[in-house]
RNA sequence: GGAGAGGUGGCUGAGCGGUUGAAAGCGGCGGUCUUGAAAACCGUUGAGGGGUAUCCCCCCUCCCAGGGUUCGAAUCCCUGCCUCUCCGCCA
């Protein structure tokens, strides 16, 4: 959520900033609602003030044993007026809120301006696309060839967009996740967390999945209205909901490996083959809660932490700064990491690292005490995949294949594979 | 599943329906003392919003959430959510 002050006092400027990401703000409607809000709020507060002071007088008069009937009469006359005024104000505020909740974050000045994902900017590239002296297969062909990746069985059990892994390939996926967790906790200073996979709607609201993206999630039926997490960002970031941190407690750096569940509504026909886009996948997620002045430095670091995984795995990748049009709803700035997928001869997203500034914090009421002013300010929140485990598995399978269709285990994963050096 | 207790400020924890936005303690901040620090002592210290227009004041809202009763609710009633204790069951 944006700062309402931006929409009250700097609406034209805000609209211009949002226009960069292709969002049109209904300036006239907002301005008109705000005018009404202001008038009604002042009127309501005056009525409340009168009621409060009159009621207080009744109390005092009663204590002295005086007749309170005339006073009660005047207060009674107020109550109807007050009630309608309060109700009207509530309506206006709800109308404004429903607009405000649906306004995306403002892009940071450093975000490249663009009209579509084609305008995303490559920041740097690491390694070179893997070369082969044979025609490389895709991960489906390889996995099925090894009889360790089974989409047919998954389809039988659960339907499309699921997979069954077995034997050494299942083991490799576990090794990948372990390796990532160890790296981030031991080298990058994150605290490992185990968190719920089912969350309340308030949590989804806090991190911006609701109200706008209800259909992208799986919701459980029954008395308990819970939803499956689409990313560990939701439970991790919401740990700071309704919290007022002392300055010294920041920054907070958390990492968790969780399954992620996405309905992939609206992506019919995209990546239907293979493990690229699944209803369920594993991800190691990084989350940081930081002081506002530190957040852009933190974004660079966090992105670096995710990159380190790819570097150690010797997987070629590039870093892309998303342009204004491609930025996620809640993000001020996002770097995508894209790993080389030989079968597709292109880089595919494997991590997305974002600074949300106060967008989540404002929704969640996550604040800290500013030591300069002694006042409370919203914290900045960031997150990034470190990395998507399923897609990392795909990248390893394809980049480490040999011409007989076997998969070599990357060196850094060998300690996690108890002697297995080759998947065959 | 059965029985009970409770959710109050950064934290712990009081609070007869009427100067209670809320005692007390801890913590924080400022000061005295000290070469400095600690201790001690003194003072100060809730959040969100609106107005004015700024660091001065005024007002509103907030004691889990949502309803209700009342001139007036942290305090009474209903619903929901959450936590805890005991018994039972159980991975």
């Amino acid at each position: 959520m944006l700062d309402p002050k931006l929409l009250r006092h700097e609406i034209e400027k805000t609209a211009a900033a949002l226009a960069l990401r292709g969002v049109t703000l209904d300036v006239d409607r907002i301005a008109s609602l705000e005018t009404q809000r202001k008038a009604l709020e002042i009127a309501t507060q005056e009525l409340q003030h009168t009621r409060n002071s009159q009621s207080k007088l009744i109390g005092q008069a009663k204590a002295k044993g005086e007749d309170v009937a005339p006073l009660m009469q005047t207060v009674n006359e107020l109550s109807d007026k007050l009630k309608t005024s309060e109700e009207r104000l509530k309506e206006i505020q709800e109308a404004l809120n429903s607009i405000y909740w649906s306004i995306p974050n403002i892009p940071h000045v450093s975000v490249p301006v663009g009209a579509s994902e084609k305008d995303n900017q490559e920041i740097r590239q690491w390694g070179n696309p893997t070369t082969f002296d044979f025609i490389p297969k895709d991960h489906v062909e390889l996995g099925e060839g090894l009889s360790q990746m089974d989409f047919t069985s998954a389809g039988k059990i659960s339907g499309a967009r699921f997979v069954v892994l077995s034997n050494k390939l299942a083991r490799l996926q576990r090794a990948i996740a372990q390796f990532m967790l160890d790296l981030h906790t031991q080298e990058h200073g994150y605290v490992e967390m185990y968190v719920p996979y089912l969350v309340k709607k308030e949590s989804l609201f806090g991190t911006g999945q609701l109200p706008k993206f209800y259909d992208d999630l799986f919701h459980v039926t029954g008395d308990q209205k819970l939803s499956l997490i689409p990313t560990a960002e939701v439970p991790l970031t919401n740990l700071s909901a309704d919290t007022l941190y002392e300055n010294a407690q920041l920054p907070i750096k958390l990492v968790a490996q969780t399954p992620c569940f996405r309905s992939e509504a609206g992506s019919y026909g995209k990546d239907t083959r293979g493990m690229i886009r699944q209803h369920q996948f594993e991800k190691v997620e990084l989350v940081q809660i930081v002081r506002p002045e530190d957040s852009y430095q933190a974004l660079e670091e966090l992105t670096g932490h995710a990159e380190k995984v790819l570097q150690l795995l010797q997987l070629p990748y590039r870093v892309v700064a998303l342009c204004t049009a491609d930025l996620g709803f809640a993000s001020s700035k996002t770097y995508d990491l894209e790993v080389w997928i030989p079968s597709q001869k292109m880089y595919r997203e494997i991590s997305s690292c974002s600074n949300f500034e106060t967008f989540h914090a404002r929704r969640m009421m996550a604040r800290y005490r500013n030591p300069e002013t002694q006042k409370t300010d919203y914290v900045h929140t960031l997150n990034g995949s470190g990395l998507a485990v399923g897609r990392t598995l795909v990248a390893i399978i394809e980049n480490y294949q040999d011409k007989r269709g076997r998969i070599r285990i990357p060196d850094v994963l060998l300690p996690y594979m108890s002697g297995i050096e080759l998947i065959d």
Side-chain angles (χ1 to χ4, degrees):
Chain A
M1 184 180 182
L2 295 180
D3 185 346
K5 289 198 177 81
L6 289 177
L7 296 153
R8 273 172 208 160
H9 308 305
E10 297 173 48
I11 186 154
E12 296 294 346
K13 199 175 144 196
T14 306
L18 289 169
L20 293 177
R21 51 186 299 169
V23 172
T24 311
L25 216 52
D26 191 343
V27 173
D28 291 340
R29 178 165 155 74
I30 292 174
S32 141
L33 281 169
E34 278 295 353
T35 308
Q36 293 179 65
R37 190 224 91 232
K38 183 165 167 177
L40 264 169
E41 189 158 349
I42 293 170
T44 306
Q45 289 188 0
E46 270 172 18
L47 286 167
Q48 287 171 328
H49 176 55
T50 312
R51 181 207 53 199
N52 290 346
S53 47
Q54 295 289 317
S55 291
K56 212 165 259 181
L57 288 179
I58 292 177
Q60 290 170 2
K62 256 189 167 170
K64 291 180 199 158
E66 295 169 0
D67 178 22
V68 295
L71 270 172
M72 304 240 312
Q73 179 69 27
T74 57
V75 184
N76 269 326
E77 282 162 9
L78 270 180
S79 69
D80 279 350
K81 258 172 112 177
L82 178 58
K83 200 166 213 171
T84 50
S85 186
E86 278 175 340
E87 277 166 8
R88 184 85 188 101
L89 178 61
K90 198 174 169 187
E91 282 170 24
I92 302 265
Q93 275 168 339
E94 274 166 7
L96 277 168
N97 278 340
S98 71
I99 295 174
Y100 289 175
W101 294 130
S102 65
I103 298 174
N105 207 348
I106 293 173
H108 187 251
V109 287
S110 64
V111 172
V113 174
S116 78
E117 61 180 315
K118 291 189 182 71
D119 297 318
N120 292 343
Q121 213 171 74
E122 182 176 304
I123 301 295
R124 57 185 168 271
Q125 189 182 327
W126 188 92
N128 294 307
T130 315
T131 54
F132 299 89
D133 53 11
F134 55 93
I135 296 179
K137 298 172 177 153
D138 80 357
H139 68 281
V140 177
E141 211 177 329
L142 289 160
E144 290 182 339
L146 292 161
S147 300
Q148 296 178 44
M149 184 183 291
D150 186 351
F151 292 99
T152 310
S153 293
K156 179 179 69 184
I157 302 165
S158 304
R161 294 201 191 279
F162 289 95
V163 70
V164 172
L165 300 175
S166 59
N167 203 352
K168 293 177 184 173
L169 218 44
R171 173 66 187 255
L172 177 59
Q173 163 151 290
R174 176 159 60 92
I176 291 167
Q178 293 275 83
F179 160 67
M180 291 176 185
L181 283 169
D182 284 351
L183 176 69
H184 295 311
T185 54
Q186 289 165 23
E187 309 292 332
H188 298 152
Y190 290 80
V191 175
E192 181 168 351
M193 306 294 286
Y194 172 78
V195 292
Y197 303 159
L198 287 162
V199 294
K200 300 194 279 191
K201 61 179 181 307
E202 287 83 355
S203 301
L204 292 161
F205 194 80
T207 33
Q209 280 78 21
L210 294 183
K212 259 199 127 176
F213 304 105
Y214 182 90
D215 292 338
D216 294 345
L217 307 169
F218 286 107
H219 307 278
V220 300
T221 58
D223 298 342
Q224 309 195 54
K225 297 200 171 48
L226 298 172
S227 307
L228 286 160
I229 55 171
T231 159
E233 167 198 352
V234 178
L236 286 179
T237 307
N238 275 286
L239 285 169
S240 58
D242 300 313
T243 302
L244 177 53
Y245 292 107
E246 292 304 328
N247 184 52
Q249 289 177 271
L250 303 177
I252 291 168
K253 297 165 75 178
L254 307 174
V255 59
Q257 177 208 339
T258 71
C260 303
F261 302 93
R262 300 186 182 179
S263 77
E264 295 300 336
S267 61
Y268 303 108
K270 277 187 199 164
D271 298 311
T272 47
R273 180 177 163 85
M275 284 184 66
I276 293 287
R277 193 179 299 275
Q278 301 260 284
H279 285 316
Q280 172 187 322
F281 60 96
E282 292 294 314
K283 183 155 59 70
V284 170
E285 183 76 0
L286 305 172
V287 163
Q288 291 200 28
I289 312 291
V290 305
R291 299 178 198 99
E293 66 267 28
D294 298 334
S295 69
Y296 280 94
Q297 177 66 30
L299 177 61
E300 299 300 323
E301 286 170 10
L302 187 148
T303 307
H305 296 151
E307 285 180 65
K308 189 74 182 173
V309 177
L310 290 166
Q311 291 168 9
L312 290 170
L313 289 170
Q314 298 280 304
L315 291 169
Y317 71 91
R318 61 176 193 165
V319 181
V320 172
L322 297 192
C323 75
T324 49
D326 206 25
L327 216 51
F329 178 72
S331 175
S332 291
K333 181 170 187 174
T334 297
Y335 291 118
D336 273 5
L337 303 191
E338 298 181 342
V339 69
W340 180 253
I341 300 294
S343 66
Q344 301 189 359
K345 293 190 174 59
M346 62 188 287
Y347 290 98
R348 294 298 307 262
E349 178 184 340
I350 196 165
S351 171
S352 192
C353 303
S354 303
N355 183 1
F356 304 99
E357 296 194 9
T358 62
F359 197 83
H360 288 156
R362 196 178 293 280
R363 292 175 163 233
M364 295 189 304
M365 286 298 280
R367 297 155 300 157
Y368 82 114
R369 196 171 295 284
N370 185 326
E372 310 267 316
T373 61
Q374 281 304 311
K375 298 217 164 187
T376 58
D377 278 329
Y378 292 106
V379 296
H380 282 197
T381 66
L382 304 94
N383 71 40
S385 346
L387 311 160
V389 177
R391 288 189 181 178
T392 307
L393 181 68
V394 168
I396 290 174
I397 291 172
E398 295 206 7
N399 283 282
Y400 280 82
Q401 63 180 298
D402 67 14
K403 69 176 167 225
R404 290 167 56 184
R406 303 174 303 183
I407 319 294
R408 189 168 67 78
I409 303 297
D411 291 345
V412 289
L413 295 182
L414 289 173
Y416 296 92
M417 293 296 288
S418 57
I420 301 168
E421 295 177 10
L422 192 70
I423 296 180
D424 53 10

